[in-house]
Each structure stands twice: as structure tokens, then as C-alpha cells.
Amino acid sequence: SRAGRQTPVSRAMGPMERVWGSLAPFTRARCLQNERALFDHLLKDTGLQWHAHDTRVSDSDPDDVVHSVVVEPAPASGIDEENGAKNVARPAPPRVDLVLVHGFGNGGGCFFRNVASFGAMGRTHLVDWRGAGMSGRPRSFPPRTYDECVEYLVDGLEAWRASRLDERTRMCLVGHSMGAMIATHYAKRYPSRVAHLVLTGPASVQDDSDPARLADFLQGSLPRRLAFNAVVLAWRAGVTPQAVARWLPASTAMRIGGRYTRVRWRSGDSLDGDGQEILARYVTGVAKMPACSEKVMSVFLKPIGRARRALAAVLEDELDATVPVTFVYGERDWMSPKSGKECAERMLAGEPRSRLKNAEFHLLPNAGHFAFVDQAAPFEAIVRFKWLG
């Protein structure tokens, strides 16, 4: 029968029905259920409420939606306890909402350590990239160049803002890693909408790779050179970690996702056994969903993670200098804290930033690329001050 026929691929990777069957639990509908389970678990008994939203970006493609989650304190009963009367709706004053944008290969759930704390402070939005995270997967990904990719992702974020925030609301915009690139380009295009820009472990600040160090690393080790060359070739071909994950059986992908969240994110420090399982399923689902904007990896970055264009040039020369910028790195961040520190210093050397003193650099000890996970409390304190004063 067709189902039982063996091919070289099926012999190498197992029966095809096992592969295709492994995809079934990770449809977008199922992944949204995983997200629901995660946020219900993270926010139970906190007095906070959360809602998920899909924002249409393109009228021509129903799958082109930006997904977001908003977390905030639950509303009061509607009764003014002081005089016993129902509260009367009044025009809301201008406000600043916190907006968190994840990095490559993740979704808003990567902020699992922070959502309850931030939500208790005020309205907090976790916005997934257009074509990534829990967002829809459009049938095509038109961008081909660096500038087209930037425009595609910034357009998605602005479509979300226009739908979910009123015109008087500004953002304390926090971007992680490649999400910091999106946040920076958004702030460049729409400076009046950004009250503060927080870049944590930003990718591509500048290309400070050391060719001599790489040559030394590869010297005299044939397996190391072969592995490195294979990774470089795959990177240039646009092969992503998610592409590999999609070929794995569900059980294998779940084991890898579970190990990643337990070891790298130390999920056991803040989650019980059920919570760890839910987080692993969420992360695995993000990786296994169909490809779309993950294709920007090889457009934005050279092998392996080096800047194709320096984000420092945008921050120093193109971003409106009245937009405050704060860099937050972990001391072990592979994205090079030195680049961020030097960029902040150069920004402060010019006017009007030297007068406004509105660029800062923070280095968190005992933290890596996910500083908001490794050092949640100090990270939250920095963001709270920039957000709420």
C-alpha cells in the first residue's frame, strides 16, 4: 500500500506516517490551546486577567494575523465603595503600556517569568512577530531583502498597535535579541509612539567578530571545521533550527523542548511539574508550526549570528534622539555586551542625548542571553523604572 511503501527518506527517518502524525498536535489551533494552558497556569490566583487577540494585517490573506496577549489587573466590581454608586465612565488620561517583543524562534511565552510581575504593574502586551510565535502563518513570505524584511515586520507591529491601542497610548517597547531589531526599526519609523525603548540582548548591534579567534578555534580540528562549514552552508541556505524541529517526531521534539526549558530557562525554579510540561509543549509548538518570518534569520544575520548591518548605525544616526534607549545584557550574553556599552556611550556623546542623558547600559550578573529569565527581578526593576518612573 502507499502508506506502507518504504523510501530512502522513510528508512532514514522512520515511517512517513510517524513524521506526518507528529505534526498533528502542533496545528495553530492546538498551539493556541497550549498558550491558553500556559497563561492560565502562570496567572492563576494572581488577581490578573489575560486575553488573546489576533490582529489582521492583510485583507488578502486570512492567515496574516499578528497574535498578542494582554495581561492586566482584573477590573474592580464596578461599584464605587466610597459612595455606593456605580462607577461612571470618564475619559482615560494618556497612558503608557508595556509592550514585549520576543526574539528569534520564540513567542511571548518566553517571558513566563515576568508576565505576572509586569501585569500587576499595569497593562502589559506580549506581541508575537508577524509570521512567528503564535501569529498566523501566511501562505507566502514576500520579503527578499533586508529592508523588505524590516518593513514586513514593522508593518505587522504597527497594524497591531493601530488595532489594540488608542491614539493617546504610547509604548514602553521592550525587544529581545532579534525582536530588539524590530523594536528599534519601529521606534525609528514611529518615534512619537515610543515613550522608552528597552533593548535586552539585542542582536546585530555591530559586527565585532574576531577572525583570528575563529581561525584559532578551527585550527587543527577536522571534525570542528567540518561541523562549522556544514552550519555555515545551512545558514546561507536559509535552514533554521525550526526547520530541523519540524522533521522530528513529536515525542523527540518534546524531549528537546523540555530539556531546553529546564536547563536553559531553569523552568523548575519558578514552575511546578505541570507548569514545566505546559511550557515545554508551548515552546515545542512554536518551533513546529509552519515556517514564515523565521526566514529573516539569514537575511538579518551572517553566519553564525554576526551582524549583516550594524543596528548601532540606526540607534546613533537615524533614531530620533528624544527617544530614551536602555540596553540590558546578561554578563554572559553571546550577543556581546561590549557592543551595547560602546553604542550607548557614543549615543551619549552627541546632542541632544548628552544633555538629555537618555541612553543607558545595564549589565546583569549571572545572566546570559535571556537576562529576563536568568535575573528576572533586577530586569523587572529596570523596566518598571523606565516604564512607570
Side-chain angles (χ1 to χ4, degrees):
S1 67
R2 180 184 297 271
R5 187 176 61 195
Q6 293 289 301
T7 67
V9 172
S10 65
R11 286 194 294 270
M13 303 193 69
M16 286 303 295
E17 62 266 23
R18 182 184 179 195
V19 175
W20 291 113
S22 74
L23 300 178
F26 298 103
T27 62
R28 182 168 187 257
R30 178 55 185 164
C31 289
L32 289 172
Q33 292 179 18
N34 296 339
E35 179 190 71
R36 189 176 306 117
L38 177 63
F39 282 90
D40 282 345
H41 191 88
L42 294 174
L43 300 175
K44 65 182 178 182
D45 303 324
T46 61
L48 302 174
Q49 63 179 4
W50 74 275
H51 303 284
H53 305 279
D54 280 350
T55 300
R56 178 72 68 87
V57 181
S58 169
D59 292 333
S60 62
D61 189 341
D63 294 324
D64 192 3
V65 295
V66 168
H67 185 77
S68 62
V69 167
V70 58
V71 181
E72 59 188 334
S77 63
I79 301 296
D80 186 332
E81 296 182 355
E82 187 173 15
N83 56 31
K86 287 187 177 181
N87 292 333
V88 178
R90 298 179 177 86
R95 69 165 189 262
V96 176
D97 283 8
L98 181 64
V99 177
L100 306 173
V101 181
H102 62 83
F104 181 80
N106 285 297
C110 70
F111 296 101
F112 70 98
R113 289 285 300 271
N114 320 109
V115 290
S117 296
F118 284 144
M121 298 176 197
R123 185 172 294 176
T124 299
H125 306 267
L126 301 96
V127 184
D128 290 358
W129 299 5
R130 184 182 184 183
M134 291 290 117
S135 292
R137 297 301 195 265
R139 300 183 185 94
S140 65
F141 182 70
R144 291 294 178 267
T145 68
Y146 189 105
D147 291 333
E148 289 172 349
C149 289
V150 167
E151 182 177 12
Y152 181 88
L153 295 170
V154 170
D155 284 350
L157 184 54
E158 173 58 11
W160 169 84
R161 184 217 59 83
S163 174
R164 302 307 313 168
L165 304 183
D166 63 55
E167 290 300 318
R168 304 177 71 198
T169 299
R170 301 170 74 207
M171 294 181 266
C172 177
L173 183 57
V174 179
H176 173 239
S177 194
M178 206 177 286
M181 298 174 64
I182 300 171
T184 298
H185 284 285
Y186 181 90
K188 171 192 166 184
R189 190 195 294 183
Y190 301 106
S192 64
R193 306 206 187 283
V194 179
H196 204 107
L197 180 63
V198 180
L199 308 176
T200 177
S204 189
V205 173
Q206 61 188 35
D207 186 359
D208 54 1
S209 56
D210 185 345
R213 183 180 178 186
L214 176 62
D216 184 63
F217 172 77
L218 298 175
Q219 181 67 31
S221 173
L222 180 60
R224 190 177 289 177
R225 289 198 300 273
L226 292 174
F228 178 81
N229 289 336
V231 170
V232 168
L233 288 173
W235 189 291
R236 290 174 175 165
V239 177
T240 64
Q242 296 96 309
V244 176
R246 290 183 198 106
W247 279 102
L248 297 176
S251 58
T252 303
M254 275 293 297
R255 282 198 301 272
I256 295 172
R259 178 171 176 77
Y260 179 85
T261 54
R262 287 193 307 272
V263 175
R264 180 61 195 87
W265 287 353
R266 304 197 323 272
S267 58
D269 291 357
S270 58
L271 299 176
D272 60 19
D274 288 343
Q276 293 177 63
E277 176 75 13
I278 292 168
L279 180 63
R281 187 168 292 279
Y282 169 89
V283 168
T284 304
V286 169
K288 295 272 279 182
M289 284 173 66
C292 186
S293 60
E294 70 191 57
K295 298 172 184 177
V296 303
M297 181 186 78
S298 58
V299 178
F300 281 167
L301 302 175
K302 300 176 185 177
I304 304 174
R306 294 177 295 131
R308 196 171 291 281
R309 290 191 192 176
L311 195 65
V314 179
L315 289 162
E316 296 168 32
D317 303 325
E318 301 176 35
L319 178 67
D320 189 319
T322 63
V323 177
V325 179
T326 297
F327 294 86
V328 184
Y329 286 85
E331 64 177 355
R332 300 191 304 271
D333 196 323
W334 69 285
M335 284 297 180
S336 178
K338 179 174 175 285
S339 295
K341 185 173 187 294
E342 291 175 349
C343 181
E345 290 171 349
R346 289 192 299 268
M347 292 169 75
L348 285 172
E351 285 291 338
R353 291 195 186 275
S354 61
R355 174 172 42 84
L356 297 173
K357 307 295 184 186
N358 64 351
E360 294 184 7
F361 172 85
H362 297 266
L363 188 67
L364 300 184
N366 301 315
H369 188 49
F370 292 88
F372 51 89
V373 173
D374 298 332
Q375 290 288 352
F379 177 84
E380 290 159 11
I382 293 168
V383 172
R384 179 191 176 106
F385 183 74
K386 303 308 173 188
W387 174 21
L388 302 174

